[in-house]
Amino acid sequence: MENFADKISSLRREYSDKKVEISDLNINPLTQFTNWLDEAIESKIYEPNAMVLATSIDNMPRSRYVLFKNIIEENLVFYTNYNSPKAMEIEKNPLVSGIFYWPEIHRQVRFEGLISKTNPEISDEYFYSRPRGGQLSAWASDQSKVINSREEIEKEIENLDLKFQNETITRPPFWGGYKINVNYWEFWQGRKNRTHDRFCYTQELSNWIIERLSP
């Protein structure tokens, strides 16, 4: 049987050699991000809006994937349960970081910033755009709580479906949006021989400073 360590060490994929220069980058990192995200979408990447969100409390970092859903007032927006562990961590420490990774086009975007809740109107607007099943799931799930079986959740969804049978499903008060005000961006383009192109945007007052980083 092949040694697992050897199997892992043998995993080696070569990246393309698409180069990126500072002159190729937009002076506004948010515009640069949307340009790359649009290319990821056009490349038919599965869930190109999936982003890792990292939080930290009491020197204990945690990360998970969430779905980026919008840019509002130059902030990255996603939605979740306000009673979840990540929400509790955000309440105690609003400094977060995150990553978008699009392996098919050999690109990564990393960011850091300050997070806060969106206003209720924004949360309402998105909630009412969700399919009915997603609305019911938001009500049914006490996110990350230990449960006995999947049937427990499915039964709760059935009960809620009956409850809201002839009426609009309202947004749960414990569910809504977060917005991230990003103050640091990093763009990574995979290159051959691991000599990747990396650039960071650092905020200085109302301006952004762009610098090339060593691979």
Side-chain angles (χ1 to χ4, degrees), residues 185-198:
W185 292 87
E186 186 178 310
F187 294 83
W188 177 95
Q189 173 70 61
R191 299 286 303 273
K192 285 184 178 178
N193 301 318
R194 301 302 190 259
T195 53
H196 314 304
D197 287 330
R198 291 176 61 199

Side-chain angles (χ1 to χ4, degrees), residues 47-70:
E47 289 194 322
N49 60 325
M51 71 179 190
V52 174
L53 177 74
T55 54
S56 180
I57 182 173
D58 297 330
N59 296 318
M60 292 292 293
R62 286 162 46 99
S63 58
R64 76 291 288 162
Y65 274 100
V66 298
L67 291 180
F68 157 72
K69 284 297 182 179
N70 204 355

Side-chain angles (χ1 to χ4, degrees), residues 53 72-73 75-96 113-124 171-181:
L53 177 74
I72 298 177
E73 297 178 348
N75 295 325
L76 305 183
V77 174
F78 70 95
Y79 299 87
T80 192
N81 188 307
Y82 286 150
N83 293 330
S84 64
K86 63 178 169 293
M88 300 297 101
E89 292 154 9
I90 287 168
E91 185 177 345
K92 296 287 184 64
N93 181 3
L95 298 175
V96 299
L114 189 66
I115 192 170
S116 60
K117 289 180 180 178
T118 62
N119 66 49
E121 291 74 23
I122 289 174
S123 295
D124 286 341
R171 177 176 64 87
F174 53 81
W175 189 98
Y178 280 105
K179 56 183 180 179
I180 305 171
N181 182 9

